[in-house]
Amino acid sequence: MGTASSMLTQYDLEEVQLHCHNLFSQQEIVSLYQRFCQLDRNAKGFISADEFLSVPEFAMNPLSQRLLKMVDGLNFKDFVAFLSAFSAKANMEQKIALIFKVYDSDGNGKISFNDILEVLQDLSGVFMSNEQREKVLIQVLKEAGYTRESYLMLDDFIKSRRE
C-alpha cells in the first residue's frame, strides 16, 4: 500500500474491508487511507505515537496515554481495524472489547482493581484524591458482586451490558 489513495488496489481495499469485518465501505477506506498517509509523515508505513499525538482530539483525550499503547506502530490495516470499533456499524460487543483493552493496559486479558484505579485517575485527575477514588471503586465493585481482589474478564464486561 503506497503513499497516496490512488495506490490502493481493489485487492487492498477488499483485504482491508475483510480485516475490519466490513464495517467500512471501500470509499470510507480510501478516505481513511488518505488520513493515514497524512499522519504517517515519514511514509514509514505505520503511525508512531508522536504522529497520533498530532491529532488534537486524540492528544486532549484523558485516556490518550492508554490509547497510545494500543495504536503506536499500527500499519494501515490495523489502523482501520482499530477505528472499526468507533464505526456506527460496529456492534456493542466490538465496542465493549475496545473499552476492555483500554482498561487492560498490560494486555493480560483481565482487569485488576489497580487497572480500574489507574483509569479513574486518568479521568478524574486532581479532582479526586487517591483515597476517594479507592473508596468509590471499592463500593462500585461491591455493589456489582466483586472485591478488590477480583479480576474482570471480557465476558464480565459483555455480561454487564446485557443485565
Side-chain angles (χ1 to χ4, degrees), residues 23-24 58 61 67 70-71 79-91 94-95 98-99 102:
L23 292 174
F24 292 117
F58 189 85
N61 187 314
L67 292 168
M70 297 170 62
V71 299
F79 172 75
V80 174
F82 172 76
L83 292 177
S84 66
F86 297 98
S87 167
K89 296 176 194 170
N91 65 38
Q94 291 165 311
K95 293 175 186 290
L98 175 69
I99 294 167
V102 170

Side-chain angles (χ1 to χ4, degrees), residues 26-85:
Q26 290 188 1
Q27 185 55 47
E28 289 169 322
I29 291 170
V30 169
S31 295
L32 288 171
Y33 189 67
Q34 290 169 339
R35 183 64 175 141
F36 180 86
C37 291
Q38 290 170 345
L39 290 172
D40 182 16
R41 293 183 294 243
N42 298 323
K44 300 175 302 292
F46 64 90
I47 302 175
S48 69
D50 289 339
E51 290 166 331
F52 269 105
L53 287 174
S54 71
V55 178
E57 298 83 359
F58 189 85
M60 292 173 45
N61 187 314
L63 298 175
S64 63
Q65 293 305 309
R66 289 181 163 272
L67 292 168
L68 279 179
K69 291 178 186 176
M70 297 170 62
V71 299
D72 188 23
L74 289 183
N75 64 25
F76 178 64
K77 272 176 42 177
D78 293 334
F79 172 75
V80 174
F82 172 76
L83 292 177
S84 66

